[in-house]
Amino acid sequence: MPASNKIVVAVRCRPINRREEAFVDGARCLTMQGTHTMLSGKPVGKEDKSFNFDYSFWSAEPGDSQFATQVDVYECLGLGVLENAFKGYNACIFAYGQTGSGKTFTMMGPQSDRGLIPRICDELFTRIEEKTTSDLSFKVECSYMEIYN
């Protein structure tokens, strides 16, 4: 992804858990196509809704052809943050959602399938090591915060 100076909004669908599957009797209520996300209200007797985002990541079913991996999310979101950081811009990734919605998985991931933060940090320090010379040095400041209410 080329670096951008705009706010990028993405949504990611995690796998449906047993409780959710039982609630809607296994009916799929969310579909994603490109940047378009559609929410079907039919399983619960509500109106359909449609949303457009910069990215819609389908991570609900690993065997699905549209399945978005941690690498896919990193390439679409993390690389742009890095490019802008090396141009001297401050950068921020903000993950929002209810408990259990997949924020920590996307941001940190397990050791076997690392998320955005470890991947960005690895690439950040690799680039710094490659670009540092006697005339060029880097200063990195970073914060990580989780807020619960």
Side-chain angles (χ1 to χ4, degrees):
M1 172 190 153
S4 170
N5 61 356
K6 69 180 185 102
I7 293 174
V8 174
V9 180
V11 63
R12 187 176 194 187
C13 179
R14 63 157 172 73
I16 304 303
N17 63 36
R18 284 189 209 106
R19 182 185 60 79
E20 294 161 338
E21 199 168 275
F23 179 70
V24 294
D25 199 23
R28 182 188 263 190
C29 60
L30 184 71
T31 55
M32 294 177 159
Q33 188 172 19
T35 61
H36 196 67
T37 299
M38 292 78 56
L39 181 61
S40 172
K42 290 178 183 95
V44 291
K46 298 208 175 186
E47 183 179 318
D48 292 354
K49 302 223 183 256
S50 180
F51 306 93
N52 282 307
F53 300 95
D54 294 297
Y55 295 96
S56 289
F57 297 109
W58 178 257
S59 298
E61 299 169 23
D64 196 302
S65 63
Q66 296 180 47
F67 185 78
T69 65
Q70 295 281 66
V71 172
D72 296 328
V73 174
Y74 167 72
E75 288 176 352
C76 291
L77 302 176
L79 287 177
V81 168
L82 274 172
E83 294 300 323
N84 281 327
F86 277 94
K87 290 179 180 177
Y89 295 106
N90 291 325
C92 174
I93 297 177
F94 180 81
Y96 177 82
Q98 70 185 48
T99 300
S101 62
K103 301 174 301 296
T104 301
F105 179 82
T106 296
M107 297 304 290
M108 294 301 292
Q111 186 65 31
S112 61
D113 195 17
R114 297 171 319 132
L116 279 171
I117 293 172
R119 290 175 191 275
I120 289 170
C121 288
D122 284 351
E123 182 65 19
L124 173 71
F125 290 108
T126 296
R127 289 186 189 191
I128 286 173
E129 189 174 328
E130 291 170 354
K131 295 176 184 284
T132 299
T133 66
S134 58
D135 298 326
L136 179 64
S137 63
F138 295 84
K139 178 181 178 183
V140 176
E141 291 183 27
C142 147
S143 299
Y144 175 84
M145 182 184 332
E146 290 187 50
I147 300 173
Y148 296 93
N149 60 358

